[in-house]
Amino acid sequence: MSDARAAAEKADEKSADRLTTLSDGIFAIAMTLLVLDLHVEPGLYKDEFIDAVRRALPDLGAYVLSFTILAGFWRDHRLIVRLVPRFEGVALRFALMWLGAIALVPFPTALLSEYAARPLTVAVYAGMVAVTNLLELAMFLTGRRTEHATEASRGDAGRAVTADLASTAALFAATAPVAYLVSPVAAMWCWLALVPIKLTLTRRKRATGRRHGRAS
């Protein structure tokens, strides 16, 4: 019986490792694809070169924004995996849908770099970030109901993750109508409100993570 239990635990670890490997691969590809829109034609004269660099600035801004968002998702995923070491059933399906949304990030990023002045573009980008956060939140909430979840997933650390993902989704979703009712630029400036929110929640998650580490 003990051998069977040990074999099952080993299989669980391999299953979790495979999901983590898949996640890291998708993040690496998505982050790399963001760079493809960054280029300046060779052989330009001084004035042409300066104009080309200026035209590339929106692409660079969209790259920085999306890379930062993807890095945040990846960091949150690392914490979630510590809280819920294995996903299966409904939680696994949400995890795969979430990874599908991550792989899609380069598309709205390309739209944003080319058509940032159009409300639909900003609404699509904001909606993508909101939906991706909600999928990650659903993955976590369903995962912590399983037997594989740790006690910390239902404590302060779990509540910090939930607050972080929910607030990010709400903020980006709220900026979609702002793009139409006010302006796309105003909607994008609203995204900066996420910075102090993220900093506060990140400190909270780190503190709870350290407490969890000492307890374990």
Side-chain angles (χ1 to χ4, degrees):
M1 187 67 178
S2 59
D3 292 340
R5 186 181 296 109
E9 290 177 354
K10 188 174 181 179
D12 288 348
E13 291 176 0
K14 289 183 178 180
S15 177
D17 290 342
R18 281 196 292 268
L19 180 61
T20 301
T21 301
L22 175 63
S23 303
D24 289 345
I26 290 176
F27 271 101
I29 293 172
M31 288 175 167
T32 302
L33 290 176
L34 296 177
V35 187
L36 297 183
D37 289 330
L38 298 175
H39 66 277
V40 174
E41 297 180 6
L44 299 177
Y45 293 103
K46 180 179 178 181
D47 292 340
E48 294 174 329
F49 172 73
I50 294 174
D51 290 339
V53 171
R54 288 173 179 169
R55 290 195 300 270
L57 290 179
D59 295 340
L60 181 60
Y63 162 77
V64 172
L65 174 64
S66 291
F67 188 91
T68 302
I69 289 174
L70 285 175
F73 280 128
W74 181 76
R75 186 181 61 247
D76 289 341
H77 179 62
R78 290 182 61 197
L79 176 58
I80 289 174
V81 168
R82 289 199 298 270
L83 297 175
V84 185
R86 183 187 176 192
F87 292 90
E88 60 183 11
V90 176
L92 180 59
R93 286 192 282 273
F94 275 124
L96 293 175
M97 287 189 288
W98 173 69
L99 289 175
I102 292 295
L104 191 63
V105 168
F107 170 66
T109 302
L111 287 180
L112 191 65
S113 64
E114 295 292 338
Y115 303 101
R118 301 188 181 183
L120 179 59
T121 298
V122 176
V124 167
Y125 191 92
M128 178 274 300
V129 177
V131 169
T132 307
N133 272 276
L134 290 176
L135 287 173
E136 189 174 24
L137 178 59
M139 174 186 71
F140 173 65
L141 292 180
T142 53
R144 74 175 183 177
R145 295 175 184 172
T146 66
E147 60 182 5
H148 305 288
T150 64
E151 288 297 325
S153 67
R154 304 178 187 90
D156 291 341
R159 285 190 287 271
V161 170
T162 301
D164 187 1
L165 296 174
S167 62
T168 303
L171 187 145
F172 273 91
T175 60
V178 173
Y180 285 96
L181 299 176
V182 184
S183 73
V185 175
M188 288 186 284
W189 275 107
C190 288
W191 296 344
L192 292 178
L194 188 64
V195 175
I197 295 174
K198 279 285 189 182
L199 289 175
T200 301
L201 292 173
T202 298
R203 289 196 211 96
R204 181 181 172 186
K205 284 191 294 184
R206 286 176 180 173
T208 53
R210 285 194 293 268
R211 288 199 297 270
H212 171 58
R214 287 195 295 268
S216 59

